[in-house]
Amino acid sequence: MDRTLFLLGINHRTTGVAVRERFSLANHCDQEHWAVPCTAAVQESVILSTCNRVEILAAGTEEAPEQTLRAWAGATKTDSAELKSYVYVYKHLDAARHLFSVASSLDSMVLGEPQILGQLKTAYRAAVECKTTGVLLNNLLHRAFFVAKRVRSETAIASSAVSISYAAVELAKRIFGNMSMRKALLVGAGEMSELAARHLLQSGVSEILVANRTNAKAQALAEQFHGCAVTFENLTNCLAEVDIVITSTGSTYPLLNARDINAVLKLRKNRPMFFIDIAVPRDIDPDVNNLDNVYLYDIDDLKDVVEENTATRRDEAIKASAIVEEEVASFARWLSGLDIQPSIVDLISHTETIARKELDKTLKRLGHVSDRERAAMETMVAALVRKLNHAPIMFLKRCGMDGNAAHVSMLRRMYSLDKKACPARKNRNALLYD
Amino acid sequence: MISPEFSTLVTLVFYALASIVGIAGIMARSAFWRRLACFLALCGFVCQTVLLMLGFHKALPGGLSLGAYLQLLAWFLLLCGIVVWGKLHQETLLLFSAPLGLLLFVMSAPYLGTLVTVPASLHTPFYVLHIGALFSSLALLALASVAGVLFLLLEKRIKRKQRMENFFLDMPAITLLDKINALGTLLSFPLYTLGIVTGLLWAKSIFGDTGDPKEVVSVVIWLIFAVLFYSRLLKGMRGRKAALLTALIFTLCLFSIFVVNTVMDTHHTFFRLSSGR
């Protein structure tokens, strides 16, 4: 196969939120703004851009990583040399292994959180809509979903609902203690907000308000959690009533700054407020944390809290890693099979052609033959070809699994499958002793 | 017959056990040990209450010893810790009150034989009111300060996004600590005011207009306390600033008791008033 698999990316382990928000491709995953256009070098691509990672999975030639990097830098209007200094690159099976780990949530900030699988499915759907996937990535992504399903069902890695939003709610309890008298405001009606709302309700908050640029979405989410929707324009006013604010919008600029919050604090007589900013780019100016009685945690700050929860899941992660390895091996076999597939097709075609020619000659020599006799002869020839091909095909498949390309090449020469590559008749002896 | 030394010893053992078990419970994050420490502190408190009352009866004709004053302060401190434990179901403050009570007890030991002889002329209702109000105020202030210091420690970790470990994992929420700090401050200030006013009136009636250093220091503390009280009650002061101010006021009170009383020439110089046992 002339295509190789690559995975380029940055994530929460390798870079801070400030870097990730600069190189975020959240707004470049649709048909109009697809960040990595298909070229001769980059033949397939899938973009996964979440708050914790920006990764591009690509299939193409050896130039694919370089071209992908340039396209990424171009889309985010940043310097490709700088981007290169942050980016990790995985190739071939390492790329598959990393993708499987990501899908299984082994590489997530919170081990075992289910959110990433949904995000990966959304990313794949977008790539399919943009027609940037082919045989390789289609198979790889479906395998990734299968691996994630296996990990979730065969291990206890996702047995408890631990996520960024859960960690945030735990922090809120450390500030407020009893949550029954507290009101919460969700800014942004995305998947993250839903999770946060669910955890807040479980912890006993008295009321949930939802603000979103699309009022219908805010109302739908508010109804789901028996809360109230507030208009985005009214956001600053309703801050005085709430104790916990969780923001997860796609805004490219901060929605709230220290001056706004200072005014709100005066209105609420300095009653403490807890802001959880899980958006990338961040929705709340980091200076807000410098105000008295205000506590601000962004996505990176939650990392420490999350690590405590992660520790309890590490044992399960070992089992999950073994599953990932099994599936990587399976994918490797499929890839090898993909390499020998043309040889098998050529072999069958070659032998069938010979058989057909010989059958035609025999039929001519025999003269008149009844249809019944003709059909019987054709069946016999087809069976003969099938049985004669069985052993070499099985041999090819075994070679493919072992990754022994030399045997495949030898078989092609034996059957003269590559007419051009086949040595000339005068070198025949040399070939025999090669 | 129960001697002051015996009463001190029995209570001391309970408070020492409560402190050790409490610290072990905090370090080992064991709910059982922490609860046991609270019950030990409660036993010590009950024991001290009974024996202190007996001790008071004995001491009344000749006055109280300096050690008994310190023990009285420990008693008020434990009382506040037990009230918070019972009312708010928060054992942390009682766990901190027990070692503080123990410390006051250890400090009281050398002075149990040192009688503070109050002249007959000073035996007025003002004196009882002065001592009672100030001691209960100081105990409440101590409790508020402990809550304030815990608040500052926990708040710092939350603000700086530091990892919560061992002891911090079992601490009450910071809003609860702030609430205890507020309650302690708001209850303590009127009592402190009562103690200061009765003390000033009493001193004026006995000593005349003297400009005693203790009075000056006490009035300065009262002014700072008044700022905290006013800001807490009307200006919505909360959290870090309030906790810092409470800790400052309590430190000044300790300075007033242990430095001004013993070093400066005031009416509260117990060593000069004492006549031995």
mmCIF file of all heavy atoms in Angstrom, chain A residues 408-431:
data_model
loop_
_atom_site.group_PDB
_atom_site.id
_atom_site.type_symbol
_atom_site.label_atom_id
_atom_site.label_comp_id
_atom_site.label_asym_id
_atom_site.label_seq_id
_atom_site.Cartn_x
_atom_site.Cartn_y
_atom_site.Cartn_z
ATOM 1 N N VAL A 408 5.412 -12.769 -0.940
ATOM 2 C CA VAL A 408 4.362 -12.258 -1.836
ATOM 3 C C VAL A 408 4.994 -11.927 -3.188
ATOM 4 O O VAL A 408 4.463 -12.277 -4.248
ATOM 5 C CB VAL A 408 3.684 -11.003 -1.235
ATOM 6 C CG1 VAL A 408 2.631 -10.453 -2.190
ATOM 7 C CG2 VAL A 408 3.052 -11.339 0.112
ATOM 8 N N SER A 409 6.144 -11.281 -3.119
ATOM 9 C CA SER A 409 6.851 -10.897 -4.340
ATOM 10 C C SER A 409 7.248 -12.145 -5.142
ATOM 11 O O SER A 409 7.105 -12.173 -6.370
ATOM 12 C CB SER A 409 8.080 -10.073 -3.948
ATOM 13 O OG SER A 409 8.846 -9.806 -5.068
ATOM 14 N N MET A 410 7.716 -13.160 -4.420
ATOM 15 C CA MET A 410 8.138 -14.397 -5.085
ATOM 16 C C MET A 410 6.962 -15.064 -5.792
ATOM 17 O O MET A 410 7.077 -15.515 -6.925
ATOM 18 C CB MET A 410 8.743 -15.342 -4.053
ATOM 19 C CG MET A 410 9.451 -16.530 -4.656
ATOM 20 S SD MET A 410 10.122 -17.574 -3.354
ATOM 21 C CE MET A 410 8.679 -18.388 -2.763
ATOM 22 N N LEU A 411 5.826 -15.100 -5.086
ATOM 23 C CA LEU A 411 4.650 -15.725 -5.674
ATOM 24 C C LEU A 411 4.207 -14.980 -6.935
ATOM 25 O O LEU A 411 3.817 -15.591 -7.921
ATOM 26 C CB LEU A 411 3.529 -15.752 -4.640
ATOM 27 C CG LEU A 411 2.333 -16.612 -5.056
ATOM 28 C CD1 LEU A 411 1.996 -17.606 -3.959
ATOM 29 C CD2 LEU A 411 1.124 -15.754 -5.351
ATOM 30 N N ARG A 412 4.294 -13.669 -6.887
ATOM 31 C CA ARG A 412 3.913 -12.864 -8.059
ATOM 32 C C ARG A 412 4.828 -13.191 -9.241
ATOM 33 O O ARG A 412 4.379 -13.254 -10.378
ATOM 34 C CB ARG A 412 3.975 -11.366 -7.729
ATOM 35 C CG ARG A 412 2.901 -10.899 -6.748
ATOM 36 C CD ARG A 412 2.896 -9.395 -6.605
ATOM 37 N NE ARG A 412 2.315 -8.742 -7.775
ATOM 38 C CZ ARG A 412 0.997 -8.523 -7.930
ATOM 39 N NH1 ARG A 412 0.154 -8.899 -6.994
ATOM 40 N NH2 ARG A 412 0.565 -7.933 -9.022
ATOM 41 N N ARG A 413 6.097 -13.393 -8.945
ATOM 42 C CA ARG A 413 7.044 -13.742 -10.012
ATOM 43 C C ARG A 413 6.749 -15.142 -10.563
ATOM 44 O O ARG A 413 6.787 -15.371 -11.772
ATOM 45 C CB ARG A 413 8.472 -13.715 -9.472
ATOM 46 C CG ARG A 413 8.996 -12.308 -9.267
ATOM 47 C CD ARG A 413 10.379 -12.377 -8.689
ATOM 48 N NE ARG A 413 10.967 -11.080 -8.537
ATOM 49 C CZ ARG A 413 12.213 -10.895 -8.133
ATOM 50 N NH1 ARG A 413 12.983 -11.929 -7.849
ATOM 51 N NH2 ARG A 413 12.699 -9.688 -8.018
ATOM 52 N N MET A 414 6.455 -16.086 -9.633
ATOM 53 C CA MET A 414 6.171 -17.465 -10.050
ATOM 54 C C MET A 414 5.024 -17.526 -11.046
ATOM 55 O O MET A 414 5.055 -18.267 -12.015
ATOM 56 C CB MET A 414 5.812 -18.309 -8.820
ATOM 57 C CG MET A 414 6.999 -18.826 -8.051
ATOM 58 S SD MET A 414 6.468 -19.535 -6.480
ATOM 59 C CE MET A 414 5.451 -20.887 -7.020
ATOM 60 N N TYR A 415 3.994 -16.748 -10.784
ATOM 61 C CA TYR A 415 2.805 -16.767 -11.635
ATOM 62 C C TYR A 415 2.851 -15.675 -12.708
ATOM 63 O O TYR A 415 1.872 -15.463 -13.395
ATOM 64 C CB TYR A 415 1.544 -16.607 -10.789
ATOM 65 C CG TYR A 415 1.177 -17.861 -10.028
ATOM 66 C CD1 TYR A 415 1.663 -18.089 -8.766
ATOM 67 C CD2 TYR A 415 0.329 -18.818 -10.606
ATOM 68 C CE1 TYR A 415 1.336 -19.230 -8.059
ATOM 69 C CE2 TYR A 415 -0.005 -19.968 -9.910
ATOM 70 C CZ TYR A 415 0.500 -20.177 -8.629
ATOM 71 O OH TYR A 415 0.171 -21.306 -7.957
ATOM 72 N N SER A 416 3.968 -14.956 -12.777
ATOM 73 C CA SER A 416 4.126 -13.851 -13.739
ATOM 74 C C SER A 416 2.972 -12.869 -13.630
ATOM 75 O O SER A 416 2.338 -12.493 -14.618
ATOM 76 C CB SER A 416 4.203 -14.386 -15.175
ATOM 77 O OG SER A 416 5.292 -15.235 -15.296
ATOM 78 N N LEU A 417 2.664 -12.508 -12.393
ATOM 79 C CA LEU A 417 1.538 -11.594 -12.190
ATOM 80 C C LEU A 417 1.897 -10.157 -12.568
ATOM 81 O O LEU A 417 1.023 -9.382 -12.944
ATOM 82 C CB LEU A 417 1.070 -11.655 -10.725
ATOM 83 C CG LEU A 417 0.529 -13.017 -10.264
ATOM 84 C CD1 LEU A 417 0.129 -12.959 -8.797
ATOM 85 C CD2 LEU A 417 -0.656 -13.468 -11.108
ATOM 86 N N ASP A 418 3.173 -9.806 -12.409
ATOM 87 C CA ASP A 418 3.617 -8.465 -12.823
ATOM 88 C C ASP A 418 4.344 -8.604 -14.146
ATOM 89 O O ASP A 418 5.535 -8.906 -14.183
ATOM 90 C CB ASP A 418 4.569 -7.882 -11.768
ATOM 91 C CG ASP A 418 3.891 -7.769 -10.423
ATOM 92 O OD1 ASP A 418 2.748 -7.277 -10.384
ATOM 93 O OD2 ASP A 418 4.498 -8.215 -9.430
ATOM 94 N N LYS A 419 3.614 -8.389 -15.221
ATOM 95 C CA LYS A 419 4.206 -8.596 -16.552
ATOM 96 C C LYS A 419 5.456 -7.746 -16.734
ATOM 97 O O LYS A 419 6.472 -8.198 -17.232
ATOM 98 C CB LYS A 419 3.193 -8.253 -17.650
ATOM 99 C CG LYS A 419 1.960 -9.090 -17.616
ATOM 100 C CD LYS A 419 2.214 -10.493 -18.131
ATOM 101 C CE LYS A 419 0.906 -11.289 -18.113
ATOM 102 N NZ LYS A 419 1.143 -12.716 -18.285
ATOM 103 N N LYS A 420 5.352 -6.462 -16.281
ATOM 104 C CA LYS A 420 6.476 -5.559 -16.493
ATOM 105 C C LYS A 420 7.627 -5.908 -15.556
ATOM 106 O O LYS A 420 8.788 -5.824 -15.914
ATOM 107 C CB LYS A 420 6.047 -4.112 -16.268
ATOM 108 C CG LYS A 420 5.193 -3.585 -17.403
ATOM 109 C CD LYS A 420 4.713 -2.190 -17.104
ATOM 110 C CE LYS A 420 3.691 -1.771 -18.157
ATOM 111 N NZ LYS A 420 3.078 -0.485 -17.815
ATOM 112 N N ALA A 421 7.273 -6.275 -14.318
ATOM 113 C CA ALA A 421 8.311 -6.554 -13.336
ATOM 114 C C ALA A 421 8.947 -7.923 -13.556
ATOM 115 O O ALA A 421 10.022 -8.208 -13.044
ATOM 116 C CB ALA A 421 7.734 -6.483 -11.935
ATOM 117 N N CYS A 422 8.268 -8.738 -14.332
ATOM 118 C CA CYS A 422 8.753 -10.097 -14.534
ATOM 119 C C CYS A 422 10.079 -10.083 -15.307
ATOM 120 O O CYS A 422 10.207 -9.391 -16.316
ATOM 121 C CB CYS A 422 7.709 -10.883 -15.319
ATOM 122 S SG CYS A 422 8.113 -12.615 -15.393
ATOM 123 N N PRO A 423 11.089 -10.841 -14.848
ATOM 124 C CA PRO A 423 12.362 -10.816 -15.546
ATOM 125 C C PRO A 423 12.244 -11.404 -16.958
ATOM 126 O O PRO A 423 11.388 -12.250 -17.212
ATOM 127 C CB PRO A 423 13.269 -11.670 -14.668
ATOM 128 C CG PRO A 423 12.390 -12.400 -13.749
ATOM 129 C CD PRO A 423 11.100 -11.719 -13.697
ATOM 130 N N ALA A 424 13.093 -10.943 -17.816
ATOM 131 C CA ALA A 424 13.064 -11.404 -19.215
ATOM 132 C C ALA A 424 13.467 -12.876 -19.267
ATOM 133 O O ALA A 424 14.104 -13.400 -18.353
ATOM 134 C CB ALA A 424 14.025 -10.564 -20.040
ATOM 135 N N ARG A 425 13.089 -13.530 -20.373
ATOM 136 C CA ARG A 425 13.305 -14.962 -20.512
ATOM 137 C C ARG A 425 14.787 -15.341 -20.399
ATOM 138 O O ARG A 425 15.143 -16.361 -19.840
ATOM 139 C CB ARG A 425 12.744 -15.410 -21.876
ATOM 140 C CG ARG A 425 12.631 -16.887 -22.054
ATOM 141 C CD ARG A 425 11.882 -17.167 -23.325
ATOM 142 N NE ARG A 425 10.475 -17.300 -23.104
ATOM 143 C CZ ARG A 425 9.894 -18.466 -22.760
ATOM 144 N NH1 ARG A 425 10.622 -19.525 -22.616
ATOM 145 N NH2 ARG A 425 8.612 -18.554 -22.588
ATOM 146 N N LYS A 426 15.633 -14.409 -20.882
ATOM 147 C CA LYS A 426 17.056 -14.744 -20.880
ATOM 148 C C LYS A 426 17.635 -14.820 -19.446
ATOM 149 O O LYS A 426 18.659 -15.437 -19.228
ATOM 150 C CB LYS A 426 17.864 -13.768 -21.704
ATOM 151 C CG LYS A 426 17.763 -12.329 -21.259
ATOM 152 C CD LYS A 426 18.546 -11.444 -22.205
ATOM 153 C CE LYS A 426 18.370 -9.992 -21.828
ATOM 154 N NZ LYS A 426 19.027 -9.104 -22.775
ATOM 155 N N ASN A 427 16.955 -14.171 -18.481
ATOM 156 C CA ASN A 427 17.446 -14.197 -17.101
ATOM 157 C C ASN A 427 16.804 -15.310 -16.275
ATOM 158 O O ASN A 427 16.873 -15.334 -15.071
ATOM 159 C CB ASN A 427 17.182 -12.861 -16.398
ATOM 160 C CG ASN A 427 18.022 -11.769 -17.012
ATOM 161 O OD1 ASN A 427 19.092 -12.050 -17.551
ATOM 162 N ND2 ASN A 427 17.517 -10.551 -16.950
ATOM 163 N N ARG A 428 16.152 -16.195 -16.958
ATOM 164 C CA ARG A 428 15.360 -17.207 -16.266
ATOM 165 C C ARG A 428 16.217 -18.068 -15.319
ATOM 166 O O ARG A 428 15.825 -18.359 -14.203
ATOM 167 C CB ARG A 428 14.692 -18.091 -17.310
ATOM 168 C CG ARG A 428 13.423 -18.698 -16.814
ATOM 169 C CD ARG A 428 12.689 -19.277 -17.950
ATOM 170 N NE ARG A 428 11.858 -20.369 -17.460
ATOM 171 C CZ ARG A 428 11.214 -21.182 -18.270
ATOM 172 N NH1 ARG A 428 11.317 -21.035 -19.574
ATOM 173 N NH2 ARG A 428 10.461 -22.136 -17.780
ATOM 174 N N ASN A 429 17.356 -18.446 -15.800
ATOM 175 C CA ASN A 429 18.232 -19.261 -14.965
ATOM 176 C C ASN A 429 18.670 -18.515 -13.703
ATOM 177 O O ASN A 429 18.726 -19.082 -12.625
ATOM 178 C CB ASN A 429 19.467 -19.713 -15.735
ATOM 179 C CG ASN A 429 19.098 -20.735 -16.780
ATOM 180 O OD1 ASN A 429 18.067 -21.402 -16.647
ATOM 181 N ND2 ASN A 429 19.901 -20.845 -17.821
ATOM 182 N N ALA A 430 18.982 -17.254 -13.946
ATOM 183 C CA ALA A 430 19.404 -16.434 -12.799
ATOM 184 C C ALA A 430 18.305 -16.388 -11.753
ATOM 185 O O ALA A 430 18.569 -16.476 -10.555
ATOM 186 C CB ALA A 430 19.740 -15.026 -13.271
ATOM 187 N N LEU A 431 17.059 -16.282 -12.222
ATOM 188 C CA LEU A 431 15.922 -16.228 -11.312
ATOM 189 C C LEU A 431 15.814 -17.529 -10.497
ATOM 190 O O LEU A 431 15.555 -17.507 -9.296
ATOM 191 C CB LEU A 431 14.635 -15.996 -12.118
ATOM 192 C CG LEU A 431 13.341 -15.973 -11.326
ATOM 193 C CD1 LEU A 431 13.297 -14.750 -10.430
ATOM 194 C CD2 LEU A 431 12.139 -16.011 -12.227
#
